[in-house]
Amino acid sequence: MHSPEPSTKWRKFKKVIKKDWQLYSLLVLPILFFLIFRYGPMFGNIIAFRRFIPGGSIIGEEWVGFYYFQMFLSDPTFLMVFQNTLILAFLLLVITFPIPIIFALLLNEIRRKGFKRFVQTTSYLPHFFSMVVVAGMVLELVAINGSINNLVEFFTGNRYSFIQLPEWFRTIFISSEVWQTTGWGAILYLAALTGINDELYEAARIDGANRWKQTLHITIPGILPTIIVLLILNIGNFLQVGFEKILLLYNPLVYETADVISTYVYRIGIQSASFSYGTAIGLFEALVGLILIFGANFLSRKMTDNSLW
């Protein structure tokens, strides 16, 4: 059987658009948004391969090839920053990714609807706080005269400037991420839990399965596709750890553990006006993320038959 002629396909396409043009018109703004703010700026990546001088040509003054890539790969500061990024990203993936799953499973076990709604609402609230507000709250809590130091002094008799100690920055950052993202991250898992057939639980109870076995053999497999998809997306953003929060929390005293690729790009590219160098680092970060998401999707498809595409 031959495929329809191009003219036939075009007529069918116009017929569909004419029939539901109101619905398709809703796509205009999202498409414009992605074209202007996502795909359009990609053209600027060309200055990663050209020497850009402020006030000169928008595409750079001269071709330098991979000069800036070689430059940051041989820079000891970048190697430290890259290591910090990997450590923070790994901690975020290992700690903050599974906690919303556990939280959703625990919420699913609550039978009192009023208490369940209260817990859900309370856990969602931090997500809606401005990042500036969250950072301000964290800084107040860990300040030398803050609540945490009051508690530390009660037990040890000493006070510590936690936010100026490099060894404490990761603990502070990860803890604030857990507090801010757990409730909101559990929403998708709670939605997935509602799609599990209750008859499966009933059959399991008849067979003598307790709550733990029901969770292990019914609940977790039921939400596994959602877990896999979100895990792939998280791996794709592996190197893009919280730029805004780190920028608001860190200071020069904790650069050795707090400085990550995104903050380094900000300092080098924006504050120091090394736009080509900063663009090269940002492009490198994006390429690593692209490789990671394709690799995670491939492994997931081979191992679990669940994938994004």
Side-chain angles (χ1 to χ4, degrees):
M1 180 180 291
H2 297 287
S3 59
E5 295 293 329
S7 58
T8 306
K9 291 182 179 179
W10 177 246
R11 283 196 297 269
K12 288 182 178 180
F13 175 75
K14 289 196 296 184
K15 185 178 179 180
V16 170
I17 294 294
K18 186 176 181 180
K19 180 182 178 182
D20 298 315
W21 68 269
Q22 296 96 334
L23 292 174
Y24 287 106
S25 66
L26 298 176
L27 291 172
V28 174
L29 287 179
I31 289 174
L32 287 176
F33 172 81
F34 277 98
L35 288 176
I36 296 172
F37 296 104
R38 293 292 185 267
Y39 291 97
M42 287 184 182
F43 175 75
N45 283 325
I46 193 173
I47 67 172
F49 306 95
R50 299 179 64 86
R51 192 183 308 279
F52 177 80
I53 300 175
S57 172
I58 194 171
I59 61 170
E61 301 299 325
E62 60 175 317
W63 183 265
V64 295
F66 291 97
Y67 171 76
Y68 293 110
F69 293 89
Q70 296 170 351
M71 188 177 178
F72 72 72
L73 288 175
S74 60
D75 183 0
T77 303
F78 174 79
L79 296 178
M80 179 196 72
V81 166
F82 188 62
Q83 178 182 332
N84 290 339
T85 306
L86 290 178
I87 293 173
L88 273 179
F90 177 77
L91 291 174
L92 284 173
L93 191 64
V94 171
I95 298 174
T96 63
F97 180 76
I99 287 180
I101 302 173
I102 298 170
F103 184 65
L105 293 174
L106 293 174
L107 279 178
N108 192 53
E109 296 298 318
I110 298 176
R111 292 295 171 257
R112 294 185 179 181
K113 292 184 179 180
F115 179 67
K116 183 177 181 179
R117 284 196 295 268
F118 171 76
V119 173
Q120 284 181 281
T121 303
T122 305
S123 64
Y124 296 164
L125 283 177
H127 174 78
F128 298 101
F129 292 164
S130 165
M131 194 62 70
V132 176
V133 173
V134 172
M137 293 173 65
V138 172
L139 290 174
E140 284 296 324
L141 285 171
V142 300
I144 195 72
N145 295 317
S147 302
I148 293 178
N149 260 311
N150 291 337
L151 190 63
V152 171
E153 185 182 31
F154 177 78
F155 286 104
T156 66
N158 298 314
R159 288 178 177 268
Y160 302 93
S161 184
F162 292 106
I163 202 62
Q164 295 179 350
L165 299 174
E167 63 270 22
W168 277 100
F169 181 84
R170 290 167 184 161
T171 302
I172 294 170
F173 177 77
I174 297 297
S175 300
S176 66
E177 278 292 299
V178 170
W179 171 71
Q180 190 179 9
T181 63
T182 295
W184 184 257
I187 291 178
L188 289 175
Y189 301 113
L190 288 170
L193 286 169
T194 61
I196 300 176
N197 194 337
D198 289 335
E199 293 180 357
L200 296 174
Y201 292 106
E202 185 177 350
R205 284 193 293 270
I206 293 172
D207 290 338
N210 56 27
R211 296 301 301 176
W212 169 247
K213 289 184 178 179
Q214 291 175 40
T215 301
L216 194 62
H217 298 290
I218 299 175
T219 306
I220 294 179
I223 64 173
L224 187 60
T226 303
I227 294 174
I228 294 296
V229 169
L230 292 177
L231 179 61
I232 293 171
L233 293 175
N234 273 268
I235 292 174
N237 295 322
F238 188 74
L239 296 183
Q240 297 178 7
V241 293
F243 163 72
E244 296 91 350
K245 186 181 291 184
I246 292 176
L247 189 66
L248 292 168
L249 290 178
Y250 83 156
N251 58 77
L253 294 176
V254 296
Y255 276 174
E256 62 181 274
T257 58
D259 203 14
V260 295
I261 292 177
S262 54
T263 54
Y264 183 66
V265 169
Y266 172 76
R267 290 205 322 277
I268 295 297
I270 304 299
Q271 294 183 336
S272 300
S274 299
F275 298 107
S276 292
Y277 187 48
T279 302
I281 300 174
L283 184 58
F284 170 79
E285 181 185 20
L287 289 175
V288 172
L290 184 65
I291 293 170
L292 286 174
I293 196 170
F294 271 96
N297 190 77
F298 174 79
L299 290 176
S300 175
R301 188 170 62 248
K302 292 292 184 183
M303 296 173 65
T304 66
D305 292 329
N306 293 307
S307 60
L308 282 176
W309 64 87

